[in-house]
Amino acid sequence: MANKRAFEIAFVGLKPGVHQFNYDLDDKFFAEKGAEDFTNAQANVKLSLEKNTGFMLLKFEIGGKADVSCDRCGNPLTMDLWDEFKVVVKLVDNPDEMNMNEEDPDVFYIARTESHLEVSDWLYEFAMLSVPTQRMCGENERGGSKCNNEVLEKLKQMEVKEEHNANTLWKGLDKFKEN
């Protein structure tokens, strides 16, 4: 990543209390992280870091838009990105062992000797999680799907063929029912 330091927070120099950070994420950021079906992304992340003695509370607020593919027809569609995530970062002596044993994904451990917190992986993960899991074209004004009609017709044809094949597969078993 060209500007890796842009995603590092030097928390040692921060006073206890709440601090705000803003990140604008674009296609280049997501491409470097390996997102393949995520294009024309414009995500804005507002990060609130509350520094306390021995731990920090991070609150990520995701907003923006990105183009994804419809799960049903494959057409490109623009989805709104919006969600909030919280992470507790605790300062400990043995962070590797603690991270391996921690069952809560919202708790992360770093060494007491650390001075910077790298947040790019969280930014990527939370932006990806803010996209709905089921991505489908919406409905038009008449209540019908905006999906590609040609693709929907092919799917219906395949469904009928599968149903017919399933019925012929079990056809011979009907004899046993009669007995």
Side-chain angles (χ1 to χ4, degrees):
M1 195 172 287
N3 195 2
K4 189 175 180 178
R5 291 210 173 258
F7 301 107
E8 285 185 357
I9 298 173
F11 63 88
V12 170
L14 299 177
K15 294 180 180 179
V18 178
H19 305 274
Q20 299 289 328
F21 301 91
N22 288 308
Y23 298 96
D24 291 317
L25 310 178
D26 57 9
D27 281 344
K28 182 180 176 189
F29 174 81
F30 291 105
E32 288 175 351
K33 291 287 190 177
E36 295 175 7
D37 63 341
F38 207 68
T39 57
N40 295 328
Q42 295 299 320
N44 184 325
V45 182
K46 180 179 158 188
L47 170 59
S48 298
L49 183 148
E50 182 181 336
K51 184 178 178 186
N52 297 294
T53 306
F55 75 96
M56 294 175 279
L57 176 63
L58 283 74
K59 180 180 176 187
F60 296 83
E61 294 179 28
I62 313 286
K65 293 187 178 295
D67 290 346
V68 296
S69 297
C70 175
D71 290 337
R72 189 176 358 186
C73 71
N75 277 355
L77 66 132
T78 302
M79 301 292 287
D80 289 326
L81 306 177
W82 184 90
D83 217 334
E84 292 181 357
F85 300 92
K86 292 181 181 176
V87 175
V88 175
V89 177
K90 295 183 178 182
L91 303 168
V92 295
D93 292 324
N94 52 349
D96 294 332
E97 181 183 329
M98 298 292 285
N99 282 323
M100 286 181 64
N101 296 329
E102 182 60 53
E103 294 180 12
D104 188 350
D106 297 332
V107 177
F108 188 75
Y109 299 94
I110 61 173
R112 292 185 193 280
T113 57
E114 290 288 327
S115 61
H116 290 75
L117 186 62
E118 167 62 42
V119 296
S120 67
D121 289 340
W122 283 321
L123 294 172
Y124 172 75
E125 181 180 339
F126 295 151
M128 296 303 285
L129 287 172
S130 68
V131 177
T133 53
Q134 193 171 34
R135 305 177 293 194
M136 288 195 282
C137 297
E139 294 183 355
N140 60 24
E141 340 28 271
R142 290 172 279 147
S145 175
K146 290 183 183 176
C147 278
N148 184 333
N149 288 328
E150 186 178 320
V151 173
L152 292 179
E153 195 58 41
K154 290 281 186 192
L155 288 172
K156 283 181 186 175
Q157 289 174 4
M158 291 173 61
E159 196 174 286
V160 170
K161 285 181 185 177
E162 283 180 22
E163 214 172 85
H164 177 69
N165 289 342
N167 288 341
T168 57
L169 178 69
W170 301 107
K171 189 174 184 178
L173 294 175
D174 289 341
K175 294 182 218 171
F176 294 108
K177 271 186 178 177
E178 295 169 6
N179 292 339

